[in-house]
Amino acid sequence: MSASVSIGVAAERSGVSPRMVRHYEGLGLLPPVTRTESGYRQYTEADVHTLRFIRRARDLGFSMDEIAELVGLWHDRGRASASVKRIAQQHLGELEQRIAALQSMHRTLSHLVHCCQGDHRPDCPILDDLAR
């Protein structure tokens, strides 16, 4: 990759849309980028690498606040890995709570679907449950 690339190329190489590149830049997840004389943003290899980092963190479901903290820790070579682990453990706990809630919803809905006759009669345990 050359010294700098346009937003479209940076987006393509990182797997992030140009709109999201601008958004992440606006949030301060990227350092201020240089601009050409005509005002076009120019991104470095390091910027593209950071965008890939952000995309991967988003794929794992980290919040933007968590990602901001992780990016800061990633760039801080003096960081303690315990700080990173704390963020990941907290996120893992939140994921486990969401999974448990989804499993509970699944069990309830499966039971209601099983109990509903699905015939021409108007009585329906699904609607009865929702109306409770």
Side-chain angles (χ1 to χ4, degrees):
M1 178 151 99
S2 63
S4 61
V5 296
S6 68
I7 192 170
V9 173
E12 181 181 322
R13 290 184 179 170
S14 65
V16 174
S17 72
R19 183 177 71 79
M20 291 309 293
V21 171
R22 287 188 292 276
H23 179 65
Y24 296 150
E25 185 181 345
L27 292 175
L29 297 176
L30 290 174
V33 296
T34 60
R35 291 183 179 255
T36 64
E37 287 184 19
S38 46
Y40 292 104
R41 292 172 167 91
Q42 293 290 290
Y43 296 88
T44 65
E45 176 69 33
D47 295 329
V48 172
H49 196 66
T50 299
L51 289 167
R52 285 186 193 128
F53 181 98
I54 294 167
R55 186 196 72 225
R56 179 67 177 139
R58 292 291 294 157
D59 289 347
L60 290 174
F62 285 101
S63 71
M64 293 312 299
D65 288 340
E66 291 167 332
I67 291 172
E69 195 171 352
L70 289 168
V71 167
L73 289 166
W74 181 49
H75 289 298
D76 177 6
R77 298 296 177 206
R79 71 184 169 263
S81 65
S83 299
V84 179
K85 185 173 183 175
R86 175 189 50 77
I87 296 166
Q89 283 179 315
Q90 180 179 340
H91 181 59
L92 184 60
E94 292 165 1
L95 285 175
E96 289 168 348
Q97 288 175 349
R98 291 196 324 233
I99 289 167
L102 287 170
Q103 288 173 332
S104 176
M105 285 187 271
H106 181 269
R107 282 190 302 276
T108 300
L109 192 54
S110 290
H111 174 73
L112 292 172
V113 166
H114 175 74
C115 292
C116 181
Q117 296 300 313
D119 56 18
H120 64 281
R121 295 179 313 175
D123 50 313
C124 177
I126 300 169
L127 294 177
D128 293 342
D129 184 85
L130 294 173
R132 271 197 268 159

